[in-house]
């Protein structure tokens, strides 16, 4: 099988998956859903692709990641403005849209799936730990793109735990141990490396320095590609979104998987023939 019959790549960092590759993508995602629902009794949620900018400002997202943000914009709806747009050659020869007046930008395209969860749960107090899983279309503007490895638009599945510090740390320890056993069982060579988030001007960002001093992010590395990570947020999201358990600010953590990157790892390691891939429908993490 020629995998490129089931994968189409655009140079702007977008792609199309179909056929056997789409089945593999779906099987990988459902593997994580089964794990989340059976192991942690997590509830699956589907959120919008847009997220309000004022919510992400609560965690200073735009100071930390201005280089990654993708903004959705709309033309001002006044008839004169729309007429000027139509009459002024909407698209240039270089493929650039010649915009007239636009409405204020109040949303951004999702950069990480878990952000929606903290916005959704803000100002709530829980009596017991909360586990949620979600998948989303994510967008990160990069300096360069590579098929299945680094895309402007990609898909992220996350499993999130919110509770006290002990519960959250146990969740992360459990998740890493289960994943290590899973990788060993299917024969996928993965290295675990301490990492940091891709901050803008990291040397002057206190959050980057904090991640160096007290590591909170551990990535699953296949060859030189991070296919997922475990992330300990401490009480950062709990404080900024006023989420508590029994009156105390919650801690949180997530396990995140880049679905296209998992497809890449499977193709690279197990080959292009479907019959050589692990049967994910019969496997559990």
């Amino acid at each position: 099988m020629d995998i490129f019959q089931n994968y189409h790549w655009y140079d702007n960092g977008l792609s199309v998956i179909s056929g056997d590759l789409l089945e593999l993508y779906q099987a990988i995602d459902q593997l994580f859903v089964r794990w989340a629902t059976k192991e942690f009794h997590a509830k699956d949620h589907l959120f919008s692709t847009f997220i309000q900018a004022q919510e992400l400002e609560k965690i200073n997202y735009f100071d930390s990641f201005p280089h990654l943000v993708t903004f959705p914009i709309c033309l001002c709806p006044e008839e004169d403005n729309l007429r000027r747009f139509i009459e002024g050659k909407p698209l240039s020869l270089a493929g650039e849209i010649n915009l007239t007046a636009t409405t204020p930008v109040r949303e951004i395209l999702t950069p990480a799936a878990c952000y929606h969860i903290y916005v959704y749960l803000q100002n709530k107090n829980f009596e017991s730990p909360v586990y949620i899983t979600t998948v989303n279309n994510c967008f990160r503007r990069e300096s360069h793109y590579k098929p299945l490895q680094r895309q402007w638009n990609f898909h992220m599945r996350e499993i999130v735990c919110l509770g006290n510090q002990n519960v959250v740390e146990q969740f992360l320890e459990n998740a890493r141990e289960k994943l290590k056993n899973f990788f060993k069982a299917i024969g996928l060579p993965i290295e675990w490396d301490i990492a940091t988030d891709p901050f803008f001007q990291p040397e002057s960002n206190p959050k980057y320095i904090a991640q160096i001093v007290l590591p909170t992010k551990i990535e699953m590395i296949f060859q030189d590609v991070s296919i997922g990570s475990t992330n300990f947020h401490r009480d950062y999201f709990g404080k900024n979104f006023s989420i508590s358990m029994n009156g105390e600010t919650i801690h949180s953590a997530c396990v995140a998987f880049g679905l296209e990157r998992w497809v890449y790892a499977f193709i690279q390691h197990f080959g292009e023939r479907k019959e050589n891939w692990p049967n994910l429908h019969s496997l559990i993490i």
Side-chain angles (χ1 to χ4, degrees), residues 12-40:
N12 64 349
L14 308 181
S15 66
V16 179
I17 298 177
S18 63
D20 289 342
L21 282 191
L22 180 57
E23 291 182 13
L24 175 60
Y25 167 97
Q26 293 169 332
I28 290 170
D29 186 44
Q30 285 306 302
L31 173 72
F32 302 142
V33 173
R34 291 198 305 274
W35 182 37
T37 54
K38 292 181 180 179
E39 178 81 10
F40 306 110

Side-chain angles (χ1 to χ4, degrees), residues 7 9-15 49 67-72 109-112 136-156 260-261:
Y7 183 77
W9 173 250
Y10 297 96
D11 289 339
N12 64 349
L14 308 181
S15 66
T49 304
H67 54 307
L68 301 181
V69 182
T70 301
F71 302 98
L109 295 177
T110 298
N136 212 308
N137 262 308
C138 293
F139 298 80
R140 293 183 188 175
R141 193 69 169 161
E142 303 274 10
S143 60
H144 66 283
Y145 302 106
K146 296 177 69 175
L148 290 174
Q149 302 166 68
R150 186 173 297 276
Q151 302 191 167
W152 186 3
N153 175 207
F154 59 96
H155 296 83
M156 182 185 298
E260 284 84 356
R261 290 184 174 187

